[in-house]
Amino acid sequence: MKKLVYAMIVMLALVHQDFWWWDRIDPLVFGFIPLGLAYQAGVSIVAAILWAMAVKYCWPEGLEGDTASNPANGGDV
Amino acid sequence: MTPGMITVVIVACYLGLLLALGVFSSRMFRGTSADYFLASRGIGSFLLLMSLFGTTMTAFALVGSTGEAFKGGISVYGRMASWSGIIHSACFFLIGIKLWSLGAKHGYVTQIQFFRDRFESDKIGIVLFPILVGLVIPYLLIGVISSGTVIESLTGGAFPELFPSDNPRFNGAVPYRLGAAVICLVVLIYVFFGGVRGTAWANAFQTIVFMILGCVTFFVIADKLGGPQAATQLVREYNPSRLRSTATDADQKVYTKRLAAWERDKKEAIIKPKEPESISRLAFLTYMFIPLSVGMFPHLFQHWLTAKSAKSFRLPVIAHPIMIMIVWVPCVLIGVWATSAIMGGKPVIPPDFPNANAVLAVMVKKMTSPLLGGFLTAGILAAIMSSLDSQFLCVGSIFTNDIVGHYLTKDTLSDRQRVLVGRLFVIAIVLVTYIIAIAWRKVGVFPMAVWCFSGFASLFPLVFASLYWKRVTKMGAYACVITAAIVWFILFRESGWGANRSYLVAGMMPVATIIGCSTAALVFTSLVTKPPSAATIDKFFGS
């Protein structure tokens, strides 16, 4: 899963190049957002989803000094 | 009350609120250097998200994005915003968490302390120090120059008797020097008293302010233009190239036709069309290297170390791309609409308008109420100050902990002395920055930002290798830093010291060449020099 998530992030960086709608305006999303801009906003949303997957499946193990596991420090907020 | 006076009153109230926040956060100060520089490593997820986002988004996010969209169309989002969404989160996840962990384990406060240990070289700090500080100072100047300029531009007519000017636009405006001084003073006060906790709280507050104001401005302007659909339709008629990532032949034909019509009868044509602009795919791709600068920003390093736990990074990693989208999409659309906006049969932005960075201010001034104009000024200042504060503090931190604490007094300073020296350095840096900002007022902010970010990005291989490549050596690190500095200097000079804004190297952004050279120097030199000791490998890569 870890490799798949990183592979998808690399894929996202590739498709960021917008091979499909590079010089197109239509269809306007919600009637006013040009397709190219909507596509790039979509890239931002997919980036957030992929990084959420990275947090779940690729979280670094054995981090030194992680006080989250130490109840004395109150953990995370 | 004139619109200028309303702006002054709103900005004054906003700055008062910030000062109150600074004073309040100082009441939580524990008196230790760990608390002053790192908030005792106790910042949770939400504050970390807001402080990281507020620090990475400068005035460019509001003013520059609108201006660049006005000049080049929607491609500015792909070039800068969506790349940042991917790369910034990558830096938080792959670099930030690891550095936080090592910082917590070994007690680091600054980047230089980490690099000294990792590369087994006491002197690497002496090489890195002038480069890091030399790159942070232009970044600071961008904030101070922008704040003085924004205040002067948007308070015209406020106090004509107090600040008379021959230029009707600036008659009665709060002068540049005074505006910049007030902003420096406010930031200084809350950084001085609150340390990094004060900056984190102020950043959270300011980030909320500029995000809300950006969205409100968007809806008000869209409404004034007859709704967002009508606003986009006008752009399609007059400047369709601004709605695509790159211009087409059809756009060129529309431009020629519209320009001829405008030259025949300016009143009838209303809008003078903008020349279509294209960007190559290679240049578009190599913009990805610029946000790598986040991996080497010393002020972000300091914010990373303030995290309460590794889990505090989860929210910033996930939410950062969405936050960027929320701020950038409305600003880019406003910039695109500005190219063709018509009100009362006249263009909102005059033909041949020279200053793209003023487009947002003009749109707000002409299309919204003085009250919203005042709030937007506060929002722009919020974006500026949320970066300035962290930079002032980090330079103070580097001077205190690396130069005075380590090199001059050989780590003999007491904890209270460190806090005192840190505070004195923050005052000194604010003063020096202010004086330079007064002298260099006319320096272009955009090229300074691009070259400053490129400089930090060119050192990215250093931090990445230090965390992920056991074989990287001390000499490899020196080769990387020196090569980056030399190539950066050569290309900066070739670009006419940043004057040539469309300067590319083999069709790519200059930063791609610099990173390529610094990476090659790091890898090659490391492979031919003595590997680091087993003790160091164990210290940084051991279980």
Side-chain angles (χ1 to χ4, degrees):
Chain A
M1 193 64 184
K2 191 174 175 178
K3 283 180 182 168
L4 178 67
V5 172
Y6 282 130
M8 286 196 290
I9 291 169
V10 172
M11 279 295 291
L12 180 67
L14 287 175
V15 299
H16 171 276
Q17 279 295 89
D18 186 0
F19 298 104
W20 303 278
W21 302 303
W22 180 246
D23 56 3
R24 276 181 60 183
I25 298 174
D26 295 305
L28 293 169
V29 177
F30 304 125
F32 68 96
I33 304 176
L35 191 56
L37 180 60
Y39 178 79
Q40 291 297 341
V43 167
S44 297
I45 293 168
V46 174
I49 294 168
L50 290 181
W51 283 117
M53 290 173 70
V55 161
K56 185 166 174 59
Y57 298 110
C58 314
W59 191 254
E61 288 172 9
L63 286 172
E64 298 280 354
D66 188 353
T67 53
S69 56
N70 182 356
N73 285 310
D76 197 10
V77 288
Chain B
M1 199 183 269
T2 64
M5 283 173 83
I6 292 172
T7 302
V8 172
V9 169
I10 292 171
V11 169
C13 291
Y14 176 71
L15 296 178
L17 268 175
L18 267 182
L19 286 178
L21 195 70
V23 171
F24 183 70
S25 69
S26 73
R27 293 175 68 179
M28 296 182 71
F29 180 47
R30 299 174 192 173
T32 64
S33 63
D35 202 57
Y36 189 73
F37 294 118
L38 300 176
S40 299
R41 301 184 199 271
I43 300 288
S45 295
F46 180 71
L47 266 188
L48 190 65
L49 164 70
M50 292 311 226
S51 55
L52 291 177
F53 183 72
T55 304
T56 50
M57 291 294 119
T58 61
F60 188 81
L62 290 176
V63 180
S65 57
T66 312
E68 286 296 304
F70 178 78
K71 282 193 301 184
I74 59 161
S75 77
V76 66
Y77 189 93
R79 284 185 283 140
M80 310 200 76
S82 54
W83 266 137
S84 294
I86 300 169
I87 304 289
H88 286 184
S89 287
C91 288
F92 299 165
F93 190 71
L94 299 172
I95 309 286
I97 295 173
K98 280 207 168 230
L99 285 177
W100 172 84
S101 174
L102 291 168
K105 184 182 176 191
H106 302 298
Y108 300 130
V109 178
T110 69
Q111 273 174 318
I112 289 175
Q113 291 171 334
F114 163 71
F115 286 128
R116 269 203 312 257
D117 265 14
R118 173 65 184 88
F119 294 118
E120 304 170 313
S121 168
D122 196 57
K123 301 288 182 289
I124 196 162
I126 295 169
V127 177
L128 270 175
F129 170 76
I131 293 173
L132 292 177
V133 174
L135 288 169
V136 170
I137 285 179
Y139 202 166
L140 281 167
L141 284 173
I142 293 165
V144 177
I145 292 172
S146 303
S147 60
T149 308
V150 164
I151 291 177
E152 189 177 52
S153 307
L154 295 173
T155 56
F159 307 106
E161 287 171 11
L162 202 57
F163 306 120
S165 167
D166 295 335
N167 184 339
R169 201 175 144 218
F170 296 126
N171 188 32
V174 175
Y176 168 81
R177 289 176 182 212
L178 181 60
V182 168
I183 294 300
C184 283
L185 192 65
V186 170
V187 174
L188 173 65
I189 289 172
Y190 73 74
V191 171
F192 184 93
F193 288 109
V196 79
R197 182 180 290 106
T199 66
W201 284 26
N203 281 357
F205 173 62
Q206 306 205 78
T207 301
I208 292 167
V209 166
F210 77 71
M211 285 181 77
I212 291 174
L213 288 173
C215 292
V216 171
T217 305
F218 171 76
F219 285 113
V220 172
I221 287 177
D223 186 53
K224 288 278 177 185
L225 289 170
Q229 288 88 352
T232 300
Q233 194 52 41
L234 278 176
V235 185
R236 188 199 283 277
E237 283 173 31
Y238 290 98
N239 293 292
S241 68
R242 296 300 192 266
L243 298 173
R244 305 181 213 275
S245 296
T246 195
T248 62
D249 292 342
D251 294 334
Q252 196 62 45
K253 282 178 189 158
V254 172
Y255 170 70
T256 311
K257 188 179 132 199
R258 288 277 174 197
L259 187 64
W262 191 80
E263 280 166 352
R264 268 198 313 275
D265 186 348
K266 293 181 175 61
K267 214 171 178 180
E268 174 77 23
I270 308 177
I271 296 285
K272 183 182 180 185
K274 309 273 177 289
E275 199 169 346
E277 292 213 2
S278 297
I279 180 170
S280 75
R281 282 197 175 276
L282 188 58
F284 188 76
L285 175 70
T286 53
Y287 265 93
M288 74 173 290
F289 291 108
I290 293 180
L292 287 175
S293 52
V294 160
M296 271 302 290
F297 280 157
H299 46 288
L300 271 196
F301 179 93
Q302 195 165 357
H303 273 299
W304 287 336
L305 293 193
T306 64
K308 183 182 270 185
S309 73
K311 287 180 182 149
S312 303
F313 281 85
R314 289 179 174 177
L315 186 60
V317 168
I318 297 166
H320 194 77
I322 301 289
M323 305 267 284
I324 291 176
M325 186 186 75
I326 292 170
V327 172
W328 276 71
V329 169
C331 289
V332 169
L333 281 170
I334 291 174
V336 168
W337 291 342
T339 59
S340 315
I342 298 170
M343 250 179 73
K346 289 181 180 170
V348 177
I349 305 292
D352 303 318
F353 188 70
N355 185 3
N357 282 342
V359 164
L360 181 62
V362 173
M363 292 283 278
V364 168
K365 216 169 182 176
K366 287 190 176 179
M367 307 190 77
T368 70
S369 65
L371 198 67
L372 184 59
F375 277 118
L376 188 79
T377 310
I380 295 170
L381 293 175
I384 295 170
M385 288 189 288
S386 62
S387 303
L388 263 184
D389 50 13
S390 306
Q391 293 153 0
F392 279 137
L393 186 68
C394 102
V395 179
S397 174
I398 294 173
F399 266 112
T400 306
N401 292 292
D402 294 314
I403 300 304
V404 178
H406 182 74
Y407 291 113
L408 296 181
T409 61
K410 306 290 175 200
D411 297 315
T412 56
L413 279 182
S414 72
D415 208 47
R416 282 192 176 277
Q417 283 172 324
R418 273 182 197 267
V419 175
L420 178 66
V421 173
R423 284 177 158 168
L424 291 176
F425 268 119
V426 170
I427 295 175
I429 291 149
V430 173
L431 272 175
V432 169
T433 310
Y434 176 71
I435 291 166
I436 301 174
I438 296 303
W440 286 10
R441 185 189 172 174
K442 300 292 177 194
V443 168
V445 167
F446 182 80
M448 197 158 35
V450 167
W451 283 95
C452 168
F453 286 17
S454 299
F456 280 115
S458 62
L459 294 171
F460 179 81
L462 183 74
V463 70
F464 189 80
S466 70
L467 295 170
Y468 289 96
W469 193 31
K470 293 178 185 174
R471 185 66 178 78
V472 65
T473 67
K474 175 171 83 175
M475 296 316 291
Y478 278 103
C480 174
V481 174
I482 293 166
T483 304
I486 292 172
V487 179
W488 180 89
F489 180 81
I490 291 169
L491 297 184
F492 187 40
R493 193 187 58 185
E494 288 288 307
S495 74
W497 308 110
N500 180 0
R501 292 174 53 150
S502 50
Y503 177 70
L504 297 173
V505 180
M508 298 182 292
M509 293 295 287
V511 63
T513 304
I514 312 173
I515 288 189
C517 292
S518 64
T519 305
L522 180 135
V523 172
F524 178 76
T525 312
S526 292
L527 290 175
V528 297
T529 50
K530 192 180 148 198
S533 68
T536 295
I537 297 292
D538 188 53
K539 184 173 181 179
F540 291 95
F541 296 93
S543 57

Short mmCIF file of all heavy atoms in Angstrom, two decimals, chain B residues 214-239:
data_model
loop_
_atom_site.label_atom_id
_atom_site.label_comp_id
_atom_site.label_asym_id
_atom_site.label_seq_id
_atom_site.Cartn_x
_atom_site.Cartn_y
_atom_site.Cartn_z
N GLY B 214 -10.57 37.33 1.83
CA GLY B 214 -10.39 36.99 0.41
C GLY B 214 -11.69 36.46 -0.19
O GLY B 214 -12.11 36.88 -1.27
N CYS B 215 -12.37 35.58 0.54
CA CYS B 215 -13.62 34.98 0.03
C CYS B 215 -14.73 36.03 -0.05
O CYS B 215 -15.48 36.09 -1.03
CB CYS B 215 -14.05 33.81 0.92
SG CYS B 215 -12.93 32.42 0.79
N VAL B 216 -14.84 36.88 0.99
CA VAL B 216 -15.88 37.92 0.98
C VAL B 216 -15.66 38.86 -0.21
O VAL B 216 -16.60 39.20 -0.95
CB VAL B 216 -15.87 38.72 2.32
CG1 VAL B 216 -16.78 39.93 2.23
CG2 VAL B 216 -16.32 37.82 3.47
N THR B 217 -14.41 39.25 -0.42
CA THR B 217 -14.09 40.15 -1.54
C THR B 217 -14.52 39.53 -2.86
O THR B 217 -15.08 40.19 -3.73
CB THR B 217 -12.58 40.44 -1.56
OG1 THR B 217 -12.21 40.93 -0.28
CG2 THR B 217 -12.21 41.45 -2.62
N PHE B 218 -14.25 38.24 -3.01
CA PHE B 218 -14.60 37.53 -4.23
C PHE B 218 -16.10 37.61 -4.51
O PHE B 218 -16.53 37.96 -5.61
CB PHE B 218 -14.16 36.06 -4.11
CG PHE B 218 -14.66 35.18 -5.21
CD1 PHE B 218 -14.07 35.22 -6.46
CD2 PHE B 218 -15.72 34.32 -5.01
CE1 PHE B 218 -14.52 34.41 -7.49
CE2 PHE B 218 -16.18 33.50 -6.03
CZ PHE B 218 -15.58 33.55 -7.27
N PHE B 219 -16.91 37.32 -3.50
CA PHE B 219 -18.36 37.31 -3.71
C PHE B 219 -18.90 38.72 -4.00
O PHE B 219 -19.77 38.89 -4.84
CB PHE B 219 -19.07 36.68 -2.51
CG PHE B 219 -18.92 35.19 -2.48
CD1 PHE B 219 -18.18 34.56 -1.49
CD2 PHE B 219 -19.48 34.40 -3.48
CE1 PHE B 219 -18.01 33.18 -1.48
CE2 PHE B 219 -19.32 33.02 -3.48
CZ PHE B 219 -18.59 32.41 -2.48
N VAL B 220 -18.35 39.72 -3.30
CA VAL B 220 -18.83 41.09 -3.53
C VAL B 220 -18.49 41.54 -4.95
O VAL B 220 -19.33 42.10 -5.67
CB VAL B 220 -18.23 42.06 -2.48
CG1 VAL B 220 -18.56 43.50 -2.83
CG2 VAL B 220 -18.76 41.72 -1.09
N ILE B 221 -17.25 41.27 -5.39
CA ILE B 221 -16.84 41.69 -6.74
C ILE B 221 -17.64 40.93 -7.80
O ILE B 221 -18.11 41.52 -8.79
CB ILE B 221 -15.32 41.49 -6.92
CG1 ILE B 221 -14.57 42.56 -6.11
CG2 ILE B 221 -14.92 41.58 -8.40
CD1 ILE B 221 -13.08 42.45 -6.14
N ALA B 222 -17.83 39.63 -7.59
CA ALA B 222 -18.62 38.83 -8.55
C ALA B 222 -20.02 39.41 -8.68
O ALA B 222 -20.55 39.56 -9.79
CB ALA B 222 -18.68 37.38 -8.09
N ASP B 223 -20.62 39.78 -7.55
CA ASP B 223 -21.97 40.34 -7.56
C ASP B 223 -22.01 41.66 -8.35
O ASP B 223 -22.91 41.89 -9.13
CB ASP B 223 -22.41 40.55 -6.10
CG ASP B 223 -23.85 40.99 -6.02
OD1 ASP B 223 -24.69 40.30 -6.61
OD2 ASP B 223 -24.12 42.04 -5.42
N LYS B 224 -21.00 42.52 -8.13
CA LYS B 224 -20.96 43.82 -8.81
C LYS B 224 -20.81 43.66 -10.33
O LYS B 224 -21.18 44.52 -11.10
CB LYS B 224 -19.78 44.65 -8.28
CG LYS B 224 -20.00 45.18 -6.89
CD LYS B 224 -20.84 46.45 -6.91
CE LYS B 224 -21.10 46.92 -5.50
NZ LYS B 224 -22.00 48.06 -5.45
N LEU B 225 -20.20 42.54 -10.75
CA LEU B 225 -19.99 42.32 -12.18
C LEU B 225 -21.19 41.60 -12.81
O LEU B 225 -21.10 41.14 -13.95
CB LEU B 225 -18.71 41.52 -12.41
CG LEU B 225 -17.40 42.29 -12.14
CD1 LEU B 225 -16.21 41.36 -12.15
CD2 LEU B 225 -17.21 43.39 -13.18
N GLY B 226 -22.26 41.47 -12.06
CA GLY B 226 -23.46 40.81 -12.60
C GLY B 226 -23.45 39.32 -12.38
O GLY B 226 -24.15 38.59 -13.11
N GLY B 227 -22.64 38.87 -11.45
CA GLY B 227 -22.56 37.43 -11.17
C GLY B 227 -21.30 36.84 -11.80
O GLY B 227 -20.77 37.40 -12.76
N PRO B 228 -20.84 35.72 -11.26
CA PRO B 228 -19.58 35.14 -11.76
C PRO B 228 -19.66 34.70 -13.23
O PRO B 228 -18.69 34.83 -13.97
CB PRO B 228 -19.33 33.95 -10.84
CG PRO B 228 -20.62 33.69 -10.14
CD PRO B 228 -21.36 34.97 -10.11
N GLN B 229 -20.85 34.23 -13.65
CA GLN B 229 -20.99 33.78 -15.04
C GLN B 229 -20.81 34.96 -16.00
O GLN B 229 -20.10 34.84 -17.01
CB GLN B 229 -22.38 33.13 -15.27
CG GLN B 229 -22.55 31.77 -14.62
CD GLN B 229 -23.05 31.86 -13.18
OE1 GLN B 229 -23.14 32.94 -12.61
NE2 GLN B 229 -23.36 30.72 -12.59
N ALA B 230 -21.44 36.08 -15.66
CA ALA B 230 -21.34 37.26 -16.52
C ALA B 230 -19.89 37.77 -16.57
O ALA B 230 -19.40 38.21 -17.61
CB ALA B 230 -22.27 38.35 -16.02
N ALA B 231 -19.22 37.71 -15.42
CA ALA B 231 -17.82 38.19 -15.35
C ALA B 231 -16.93 37.35 -16.26
O ALA B 231 -16.09 37.88 -17.00
CB ALA B 231 -17.34 38.13 -13.91
N THR B 232 -17.12 36.02 -16.20
CA THR B 232 -16.30 35.15 -17.05
C THR B 232 -16.66 35.34 -18.53
O THR B 232 -15.79 35.30 -19.40
CB THR B 232 -16.50 33.67 -16.63
OG1 THR B 232 -16.11 33.54 -15.27
CG2 THR B 232 -15.65 32.73 -17.48
N GLN B 233 -17.94 35.58 -18.80
CA GLN B 233 -18.37 35.77 -20.19
C GLN B 233 -17.68 36.99 -20.81
O GLN B 233 -17.27 36.97 -21.98
CB GLN B 233 -19.90 35.94 -20.22
CG GLN B 233 -20.52 35.81 -21.59
CD GLN B 233 -20.11 34.53 -22.32
OE1 GLN B 233 -20.04 33.47 -21.73
NE2 GLN B 233 -19.79 34.65 -23.61
N LEU B 234 -17.52 38.06 -20.02
CA LEU B 234 -16.83 39.25 -20.54
C LEU B 234 -15.39 38.92 -20.91
O LEU B 234 -14.86 39.40 -21.91
CB LEU B 234 -16.84 40.36 -19.47
CG LEU B 234 -18.11 41.22 -19.38
CD1 LEU B 234 -17.99 42.19 -18.22
CD2 LEU B 234 -18.34 41.99 -20.67
N VAL B 235 -14.75 38.11 -20.10
CA VAL B 235 -13.35 37.73 -20.40
C VAL B 235 -13.32 36.91 -21.70
O VAL B 235 -12.43 37.08 -22.53
CB VAL B 235 -12.73 36.92 -19.24
CG1 VAL B 235 -11.26 36.63 -19.51
CG2 VAL B 235 -12.87 37.66 -17.92
N ARG B 236 -14.29 36.04 -21.85
CA ARG B 236 -14.34 35.22 -23.07
C ARG B 236 -14.45 36.12 -24.32
O ARG B 236 -13.86 35.84 -25.36
CB ARG B 236 -15.53 34.26 -23.01
CG ARG B 236 -15.53 33.24 -24.14
CD ARG B 236 -16.91 32.68 -24.30
NE ARG B 236 -17.27 31.70 -23.29
CZ ARG B 236 -16.94 30.41 -23.35
NH1 ARG B 236 -16.22 29.96 -24.34
NH2 ARG B 236 -17.33 29.60 -22.42
N GLU B 237 -15.18 37.21 -24.18
CA GLU B 237 -15.36 38.11 -25.33
C GLU B 237 -14.11 38.92 -25.64
O GLU B 237 -13.74 39.10 -26.79
CB GLU B 237 -16.51 39.08 -25.04
CG GLU B 237 -17.88 38.45 -25.20
CD GLU B 237 -18.98 39.40 -24.74
OE1 GLU B 237 -18.82 40.62 -24.88
OE2 GLU B 237 -20.01 38.89 -24.24
N TYR B 238 -13.46 39.42 -24.58
CA TYR B 238 -12.37 40.37 -24.81
C TYR B 238 -10.97 39.74 -24.71
O TYR B 238 -10.07 40.13 -25.44
CB TYR B 238 -12.46 41.54 -23.82
CG TYR B 238 -13.62 42.45 -24.08
CD1 TYR B 238 -14.81 42.34 -23.39
CD2 TYR B 238 -13.52 43.46 -25.05
CE1 TYR B 238 -15.89 43.17 -23.64
CE2 TYR B 238 -14.59 44.31 -25.31
CZ TYR B 238 -15.78 44.15 -24.59
OH TYR B 238 -16.83 44.99 -24.85
N ASN B 239 -10.78 38.85 -23.75
CA ASN B 239 -9.44 38.28 -23.50
C ASN B 239 -9.52 36.77 -23.24
O ASN B 239 -9.14 36.31 -22.16
CB ASN B 239 -8.79 38.97 -22.30
CG ASN B 239 -8.47 40.42 -22.56
OD1 ASN B 239 -7.58 40.73 -23.36
ND2 ASN B 239 -9.16 41.33 -21.89
#
